[in-house]
Amino acid sequence: MKIAVAGSVATDHLMTFPGRFRDSFVEGSLDNVSLSFLVDGLVVRRGGCAANIAFGLGALGLEPILVAAVGIDFADYNSWLTRHNVNTEHVFTSQEQHTARFLCTTDMELNQIASFYPGAMSEARMIELGVVHAAVGGVDMVIITPDDPDAMLNHTAAARSLGIPFAADPSQQMARMDGEQIKRLIDGAEYLFTNEYEKALTEQKTGWSSDEVLERVKVRITTHGAKGCVIERRGAPVLTVPVAKEHSKIDPTGVGDAFRSGFLAALAWGLGDERCAQVGAMIATYVLEHQGTQEYRFTDREFIIRLRDSFGDASADEVAPHLHSPFGK
Ligand SMILES: Nc1ncnc2c1ncn2[C@@H]1O[C@H](COP(=O)(O)OP(=O)(O)OP(=O)(O)O)[C@@H](O)[C@H]1O
Ligand SMILES: [Mg+2]
């Protein structure tokens, strides 16, 4: 099964300021703000929804096709993704702009000042999914994740007209889209992924009830953080899948993306909904245990031991023959 992952690729620059921002804001003097914070920590992390999901699929042994717009600075990130099984041959490289970048400074009270520069991502609307589809000899499933809003709408329309099954993952971009646009992103999806909050936002913005949304998609997966996820399929009983056991909770950033990668990998292996969610939950726990969204690694053996511990023998035995992690047996 050839899976294409469309969406953002970004680099995150995360800084820590060992003071309080509010001590620098002088009441009555905010008309001419010119502030520079001397920070004492900087970490640079690879991110972006599509890159995170593609990395997760690669970590599980698949070879996902990345459909994204990147910048002139992509070389390092490219070799990282390629080393982890991601096919980056079809990315669109901007001639002028840098890859999207997120800059965030956090002070000692956990207040944040951040900027997101979309850069090359705003050229993602130039990508034609049909060209990628033809070049790889047919995409079997495309997941459309947060990206330039026009690109998300274009990819969804292309998937529909080319008959490529698609998974809708509007996540953060839902905040800036209106009801009509959200309808276009989810109508006819094979899979709809949202968290609990985004599910409510979908209903509020589209005016569709929960049942009406479910009528328009084949399967709806709603993640509930530490409470696991709920899978609904028309005419089938609702499934609830708990989270996998964790060793530690370090940084939740990227758990949603990781969950999607595990779910889709198990789908490609031909496993059922419940197994898909269990593999998703397991890999999400790996992300939770690491600082950064692409810093985890596991051998096949380790992953299966942990899956067995969380979800039992039947789950581990079904997944084991399929897992071929690039991190080793
Ligand atoms: N605290 C947790 N402990 C264990 N697993 C978790 C935890 N939080 C999330 N997960 C796993 O990750 C999945 C997705 O989490 P969540 O619902 O928080 O996604 P999200 O809100 O889209 O997150 P984000 O967009 O910040 O990555 C959950 O269904 C679960 O499997
Ligand atoms: Mg999310």
Side-chain angles (χ1 to χ4, degrees), residues 12 17 20 25 102 107 111 114 147 149 182 199-200 213 258-259 284:
D12 300 342
F17 175 60
R20 281 184 278 260
F25 294 116
F102 178 65
D107 76 1
N111 294 303
D147 200 344
I182 294 171
K199 176 178 182 290
V213 173
F259 176 85

Side-chain angles (χ1 to χ4, degrees), residues 114-312:
S115 317
F116 181 74
Y117 165 70
M121 195 183 92
S122 54
E123 295 177 30
R125 62 189 71 168
M126 323 248 276
I127 299 173
E128 287 185 48
L129 187 62
V131 173
V132 181
H133 182 57
V136 301
V139 167
D140 300 303
M141 166 72 66
V142 57
I143 178 163
I144 298 158
T145 78
D147 200 344
D148 171 65
D150 284 333
M152 295 173 76
L153 293 164
N154 291 352
H155 295 332
T156 310
R160 235 184 248 117
S161 71
L162 294 161
I164 306 172
F166 67 97
D169 172 23
S171 304
Q172 302 90 296
Q173 284 302 48
M174 221 146 44
R176 58 172 289 174
M177 294 183 125
D178 63 27
E180 287 312 307
Q181 291 175 316
I182 294 171
K183 286 180 179 177
R184 282 158 61 196
L185 292 182
I186 65 183
D187 203 3
E190 292 271 313
Y191 294 88
L192 170 63
F193 290 97
T194 63
N195 64 22
E196 216 174 347
Y197 171 77
E198 292 152 359
K199 176 178 182 290
L201 194 61
T202 306
E203 290 155 21
Q204 189 200 71
K205 285 202 170 190
T206 59
W208 285 341
S209 67
S210 175
D211 286 345
E212 285 169 330
V213 173
L214 191 56
E215 274 167 30
R216 288 178 161 82
V217 304
K218 199 163 125 198
V219 185
R220 173 168 61 197
I221 303 105
T222 311
T223 60
H224 292 257
K227 295 202 293 284
C229 75
V230 173
I231 306 173
E232 296 158 287
R233 212 182 243 278
R234 269 169 289 144
V238 176
L239 281 173
T240 305
V241 177
V243 298
K245 291 180 192 162
E246 72 219 16
H247 294 159
S248 59
K249 260 196 185 74
I250 306 290
D251 174 10
T253 313
V255 289
D257 294 338
F259 176 85
R260 285 150 178 75
S261 68
F263 194 100
L264 292 176
L267 185 71
W269 297 332
L271 307 185
D273 292 341
E274 188 178 21
R275 292 288 175 260
C276 291
Q278 291 171 343
V279 176
M282 189 68 254
I283 192 164
T285 290
Y286 274 98
V287 169
L288 187 66
E289 293 169 352
H290 292 82
Q291 193 80 244
T293 57
Q294 299 177 27
E295 303 304 319
Y296 58 93
R297 49 211 59 233
F298 45 75
T299 60
D300 296 346
R301 193 169 163 272
E302 282 162 10
F303 192 91
I304 297 301
I305 288 173
R306 293 197 62 184
L307 197 66
R308 192 178 302 280
D309 185 37
S310 287
F311 300 114

